[in-house]
Amino acid sequence: MKQGYLVITELFLPTKGGTAVWFDEVYRRLGGKEIAIVTAAVPGDAAHDADHPNAVHRVGLRRVRWLRPESLGMYLKLFAKSLALALRQRFDAVHAGRALPEGLVALGVARLTGRPVVVYAHGEELTGWGHGNKFRVMCFVLRHADHVVANSNFTCEVLAGMGVSRERIVIINPGVDIQRFRPGLPFQDLRDGIGLPRGARLLLSVGRLSRRKGFDTVIRCLPALRAAGHDVHYAIVGIGEDRAYLQSVARDAGVQEHVHLLGHVAMDDLPRWYNACDLFLLVNRDIDGDTEGFGLVFLEAAACGKASIAGKAGGTGSAVLDGVTGIRADGDDQAAVAEAIRRLLEDGAQLDALARQAMQRARGEFGWDAVAIRTRSAL
């Protein structure tokens, strides 16, 4: 008999982001209409939900400035909708996409209906929310959940340090769509579109344009790499608050013609950009507790047959195995990052071996079917 879950998550497709993809991909594999998803109403949701195997319930979620706290309305709407569903349908468990706001709501609904509660933890929210009232409430939720899903070994250790019992922590890494992200896709038009000369080497990053991603470090590495004889260009897929800053970094380094800020790209083009690059990078770093919890983009690159260079901060060690599927370098150490890039660009045999091993691992361990099986077994 299939298990019925009430899943409360603000982030769900068609909202963009790795977490939204994770929940959509896993729960559609875990069951049908016996799984109810309570999530945010967003543009395009009707078309997405029309043929979804789960029962998706949308709620208008927004912060109201005159309320204290501003998110009070979100909590109340999520709670009312979730409790109503839980009273009509006997779920086996209540799952929350994060500790706040979803986890607090899930804890209340689960305790009122006598169901166990599972809360997902992604890493960056655990280290980036300071130590005020919000952090204390988050700790309360995590410590009282029946199970907490950690997305990496790093997140597991952070949870344990916050007082969450290790016996309640389950490590489940996110996955990747190995049908969509695969090698062999056409890409020459993409390289031509940004004016790459034949034989040029293309470095690629994908992610929100924020300081902790380390895009500026890679840009500052380009002059030395080019002076060493490497015709190297750097493309970044993503939008965010740091676009003007990155443009200024490229201009100051004299490499603005070799840095390509692509912004948002079409859904079908993202896997082709991974195919188009020679090496994938995200040299993430920790900035005042803001860090990378796992790094789904590393799996996407690996599934397309690309090796990666990752930063050493956060949970990227679960996504990139140092010396096996890529290299980890200190994202705050420009010289170390430049050396890692140079070594892989000059050692084709090592680059090919890392890429091959990365693809084998991604396709063997991180397909969404495999993640769903691990989730069902663990929960």
Side-chain angles (χ1 to χ4, degrees):
M1 182 178 177
K2 290 184 177 181
Q3 298 285 295
Y5 302 125
L6 174 61
V7 182
I8 308 170
T9 174
E10 182 183 357
L11 303 175
F12 197 72
L13 290 181
T15 297
K16 296 186 184 303
T19 300
V21 172
W22 185 357
F23 295 143
D24 189 285
E25 293 286 359
V26 166
Y27 284 99
R28 66 168 57 238
R29 286 168 168 80
L30 292 182
K33 299 302 182 184
E34 71 277 6
I35 295 178
I37 312 289
V38 179
T39 188
V42 295
D45 57 16
H48 172 267
D49 299 346
D51 59 353
H52 202 285
N54 305 140
V56 183
H57 303 268
R58 299 282 177 172
V59 180
L61 299 179
R62 63 184 181 88
R63 287 171 171 78
V64 181
R65 289 190 174 184
W66 54 265
L67 280 178
R68 289 296 178 271
E70 293 180 359
S71 57
L72 179 60
M74 295 172 55
Y75 282 82
L76 293 175
K77 286 184 177 182
L78 282 173
F79 180 78
K81 184 65 175 180
S82 301
L83 182 60
L85 288 169
L87 292 174
R88 290 203 307 266
Q89 181 177 343
R90 186 171 177 79
F91 298 104
D92 294 283
V94 183
H95 293 186
R98 295 171 299 185
L100 295 177
E102 302 96 315
L104 187 59
V105 171
L107 196 62
V109 172
R111 296 301 177 251
L112 287 173
T113 57
R115 300 292 92 193
V117 61
V118 176
V119 179
Y120 285 79
H122 307 276
E124 55 265 28
E125 81 279 22
L126 307 182
T127 58
W129 285 358
H131 289 83
N133 290 333
K134 186 176 182 180
F135 179 80
R136 286 191 285 272
V137 174
M138 179 173 63
C139 289
F140 174 85
V141 171
L142 293 168
R143 291 168 186 166
H144 287 80
D146 295 282
H147 293 288
V148 179
V149 175
N151 67 341
S152 67
N153 294 328
F154 164 79
T155 301
C156 176
E157 293 305 314
V158 174
L159 287 167
M162 294 169 62
V164 180
S165 171
R166 288 184 182 272
E167 289 73 24
R168 295 185 178 186
I169 302 173
V170 178
I171 299 176
I172 303 176
N173 301 134
V176 62
D177 185 344
I178 57 176
Q179 301 304 317
R180 179 181 171 214
F181 295 95
R182 65 186 192 276
L185 298 175
F187 59 78
Q188 189 58 51
D189 61 311
L190 300 179
R191 292 175 65 99
D192 292 343
I194 59 173
L196 256 64
R198 298 287 170 157
R201 312 299 292 276
L202 180 62
L203 310 178
L204 176 71
S205 292
V206 176
R208 181 165 186 82
L209 304 185
S210 65
R211 208 65 52 95
R212 71 172 167 90
K213 301 287 187 178
F215 305 127
D216 51 349
T217 300
V218 178
I219 292 173
R220 292 188 176 105
C221 290
L222 296 183
L225 291 168
R226 295 189 61 80
H230 297 287
D231 185 8
V232 60
H233 288 242
Y234 182 35
I236 306 173
V237 173
I239 60 175
E241 62 276 10
D242 264 5
R243 183 179 180 88
Y245 164 72
L246 294 175
Q247 289 173 328
S248 71
V249 171
R251 185 169 55 250
D252 292 344
V255 293
Q256 61 268 39
E257 294 183 358
H258 306 286
V259 175
H260 312 275
L261 300 178
L262 304 177
H264 172 71
V265 303
M267 183 175 179
D268 290 341
D269 282 347
L270 180 57
R272 298 204 301 129
W273 275 110
Y274 285 115
N275 275 260
C277 77
D278 295 282
L279 177 63
F280 182 78
L281 303 94
L282 192 71
V283 290
N284 56 292
R285 57 201 178 197
D286 186 308
I287 298 181
D288 297 327
D290 186 15
T291 192
E292 197 78 21
F294 178 81
L296 179 59
V297 290
F298 296 114
L299 297 186
E300 293 175 348
C304 292
K306 302 298 176 178
S308 296
I309 297 178
K312 289 187 175 180
T316 59
S318 294
V320 178
L321 302 182
D322 192 24
V324 179
T325 66
I327 294 176
R328 298 182 76 206
D330 186 347
D332 286 317
D333 187 338
Q334 181 180 325
V337 173
E339 173 59 20
I341 297 171
R342 184 201 61 77
R343 179 160 36 118
L344 291 184
L345 291 182
E346 293 179 0
D347 189 344
Q350 184 187 21
L351 181 60
D352 290 344
L354 294 175
R356 182 173 60 254
Q357 289 157 185
M359 184 172 67
Q360 290 171 347
R361 180 172 182 251
R363 301 186 71 82
E365 300 180 26
F366 292 100
W368 285 119
D369 287 341
V371 175
I373 290 170
R374 286 199 296 275
T375 304
R376 181 180 290 111
S377 300
L379 303 180

